[in-house]
Amino acid sequence: KPGEQKHPKEPSALQCMHLAVVACGDRLEETLIMLKSAVLFSNRRLCFHIFAEDSLKPEFEKKLKEWPSSYTKKFESNIYPITFSVGNAQEWKKLFKPCAAQRLFLPVILKDVDSLLYVDTDVLFLRPIDDIWQLLREFNSTQLAAMAPEHEIPKIGWYSRFARHPYYGTTGVNSGVMLMNLTRIRSTQFKNSLIPGGLTWEEMLYPLYQKYKNYITWGDQDLLNIIFYFNPECLYVFPCQWNYRPDHCMYGSNCRGAEEEGVSILHGNRGVYHDDKQPTFKALYEVIRDFPFEDNLFQSLYYPLQSKFLDTVHTLCGRIPQVFLKQIEKTMKKVYENRVIVYLGANHRY
C-alpha cells in the first residue's frame, strides 16, 4: 500500500529497529535505564518512540542529550503526547496504570512504522534488541504480534485461577514485552464477541473495553488476552527468557529457556527494582543505572554485578545467578569482539 514500509525482511526496514514505551508519573528514571540497556548492547540503529505526559517531555530531551555522542549516534528519538483515538480518554487513562492503555493505540498513531517492539518501562535488555527483532522473520502468514506466556505453570498462574474473561491459551500472555507487525494489525479484520463479522483493530478497542470493563483486572493486558483468545492464529508465542519476571524464580525456577540460555529480557514488574523483595532484580537495575557509558563493560558492569549477586544468594532468585549472568556475559564478549574488529580495521591502513 502507498506510504507503508516494507516487511522487516527487506533491507529498507532493516535500517532502524523501532522501540516504543509509555511513561507517566514517576517512570522517568526507569524508562531512561531501559533505553540505556537497549543502546548499550544493540548492534543496529534504534528509533525510540516515547509516549509521555507533557511534563516529562523536556526531561527526556535533556537527559538523552547528556549521553555521550558515541551512544547518541546509535539512536533517534521521538516523544509524543498521550492520546487515545477512540472512546473516552479519561476512561482509558484510568485503565490499570496511568497511560498504560496507550500501547493499544500504537498501530493507529504510528502509521508510517511497519514493525515495532513495545516494552514496559520496567524492562531491561540483557542482549541486543537485534535478537528479538529477528523473531519478526519467524511469523507465519497470519501472525501479527508476539508475547510470552503470563505463567509457565497453570496451577499457579493468575489467569487460569482468577480471570473472569476470555484469555489466550492455558495461562494467558504477558504484554510487558510485545513485538508487533503494525502493518498487519492495521489491515486485519479481527474476530470478536461483539458482532458476527470482523472488526478492524481501531473499531474493536472501545466496544471490547465497554463489554468487559467490569471483569478486567490488568487493564490493557486483559484486553489483549481477550483479542487473542478470539484470534489465536494471530499470535506468535515466544519463550519466557524474553520476558523474565520474579514469578519465574520466586516460587523456584520455572523458566527452562532462561536456565538453558540465560535471561534475554528482564521484566521487573511489581516495583521490584525499587524495594528489597527481589534483590537480584534490584542489583541488575542499579548496576545498569550506575554504569558510566564510556567505561569498560566488564570492570564497571559485569564485576559489580557479580559482587552484588553474592549478597542475594539467600533468596530464591539469587540462588541461580548464572540464569541472570549468562546472556549478559555473552553479549559483552560480542561487544568487545566487534570493537576490536572495528579498531583493527580502522588501523589496518597504517
Side-chain angles (χ1 to χ4, degrees):
K1 291 180 187 177
E4 281 182 353
Q5 293 177 13
K6 294 177 183 176
H7 190 272
K9 286 182 184 177
E10 301 191 21
S12 63
L14 286 175
Q15 289 161 8
C16 196
M17 297 179 294
H18 295 270
L19 179 67
V21 64
V22 180
C24 285
D26 59 357
R27 297 301 181 105
L28 175 77
E29 183 195 75
E30 214 173 64
T31 308
L32 287 164
I33 308 309
M34 179 278 289
L35 296 172
K36 182 179 183 180
S37 72
V39 171
L40 279 179
F41 301 131
S42 69
N43 298 316
R44 285 212 319 274
R45 187 169 176 75
L46 292 161
C47 289
F48 295 150
H49 301 276
I50 303 164
F51 291 81
E53 288 172 310
D54 295 342
S55 59
L56 293 180
K57 184 179 178 183
E59 284 295 304
F60 272 114
E61 288 171 343
K62 176 174 171 276
K63 296 285 186 188
L64 291 171
K65 277 180 189 157
E66 288 170 2
W67 291 3
S69 60
S70 56
Y71 286 93
T72 56
K73 70 183 182 188
K74 290 177 71 177
F75 69 89
E76 60 187 70
S77 59
N78 299 288
I79 303 171
Y80 310 82
I82 303 294
T83 52
F84 302 99
S85 61
V86 292
N88 182 317
Q90 289 311 310
E91 274 191 284
W92 286 121
K93 278 185 183 172
K94 288 177 194 161
L95 183 65
F96 195 47
K97 290 178 182 167
C99 314
Q102 181 71 75
R103 91 180 88 187
L104 297 171
F105 295 88
L106 297 179
V108 182
I109 298 167
L110 301 175
K111 285 186 165 59
D112 296 327
V113 176
D114 175 68
S115 296
L116 68 75
L117 177 65
Y118 165 86
V119 294
D120 285 348
T121 60
D122 52 9
V123 154
L124 292 170
F125 293 94
L126 305 187
R127 69 190 282 183
I129 289 188
D130 311 58
D131 297 340
I132 191 168
W133 194 256
Q134 289 296 326
L135 296 180
L136 286 163
R137 297 180 176 208
E138 295 187 19
F139 284 17
N140 66 25
S141 60
T142 61
Q143 289 165 339
L144 45 76
M147 288 183 272
E150 171 64 21
H151 220 284
E152 300 303 300
I153 304 166
K155 68 180 180 186
I156 56 172
W158 193 91
Y159 284 106
S160 43
R161 290 185 295 161
F162 305 118
R164 295 162 60 209
H165 58 77
Y167 58 89
Y168 178 87
T170 54
T171 60
V173 280
N174 183 283
S175 59
V177 180
M178 186 177 178
L179 194 58
M180 291 183 263
N181 183 320
L182 300 184
T183 302
R184 286 188 181 181
I185 290 173
R186 285 187 286 264
S187 61
T188 297
Q189 292 282 317
F190 292 88
K191 297 189 289 293
N192 58 84
S193 58
L194 305 164
I195 62 166
L199 289 169
T200 67
W201 186 266
E202 192 173 13
E203 288 168 343
M204 174 176 60
L205 288 179
Y206 195 61
L208 206 61
Y209 164 66
Q210 287 296 323
K211 178 169 180 176
Y212 291 104
K213 65 180 179 183
N214 295 327
Y215 307 101
I216 282 173
T217 304
W218 306 114
D220 48 312
Q221 176 172 294
D222 289 349
L223 280 179
L224 289 165
N225 267 282
I226 293 164
I227 290 167
F228 290 111
Y229 169 84
F230 290 106
N231 301 272
E233 72 286 353
C234 293
L235 191 67
Y236 176 100
V237 179
F238 50 67
C240 47
Q241 66 264 33
W242 294 104
N243 185 349
Y244 190 90
R245 285 156 277 130
D247 282 357
H248 289 120
C249 51
M250 61 193 277
Y251 307 113
S253 182
N254 61 44
C255 176
R256 190 175 297 164
E259 288 172 23
E260 291 167 2
E261 289 184 28
V263 174
S264 296
I265 295 178
L266 193 76
H267 183 183
N269 62 347
R270 303 202 191 114
V272 294
Y273 296 146
H274 313 294
D275 60 32
D276 296 316
K277 288 176 185 163
Q278 299 297 338
T280 320
F281 282 74
K282 189 179 183 182
L284 262 158
Y285 178 80
E286 290 178 346
V287 165
I288 293 174
R289 179 195 67 195
D290 299 340
F291 173 69
F293 271 105
E294 303 284 26
D295 271 23
N296 178 295
L297 276 166
F298 276 103
Q299 283 181 344
S300 302
L301 196 148
Y302 188 71
Y303 298 138
L305 197 53
Q306 280 187 315
S307 62
K308 271 183 181 266
F309 275 6
L310 289 174
D311 298 330
T312 74
V313 290
H314 62 285
T315 67
L316 277 166
C317 294
R319 287 196 310 197
I320 46 170
Q322 72 284 358
V323 165
F324 296 90
L325 291 169
K326 194 180 283 187
Q327 199 55 244
I328 203 167
E329 182 180 11
K330 198 172 161 184
T331 298
M332 280 194 270
K333 281 180 178 165
K334 274 191 190 160
V335 169
Y336 273 107
E337 283 165 13
N338 291 343
R339 281 187 191 164
V340 167
I341 290 163
V342 169
Y343 178 78
L344 289 173
N347 288 283
H348 191 62
R349 60 184 180 274
Y350 299 114

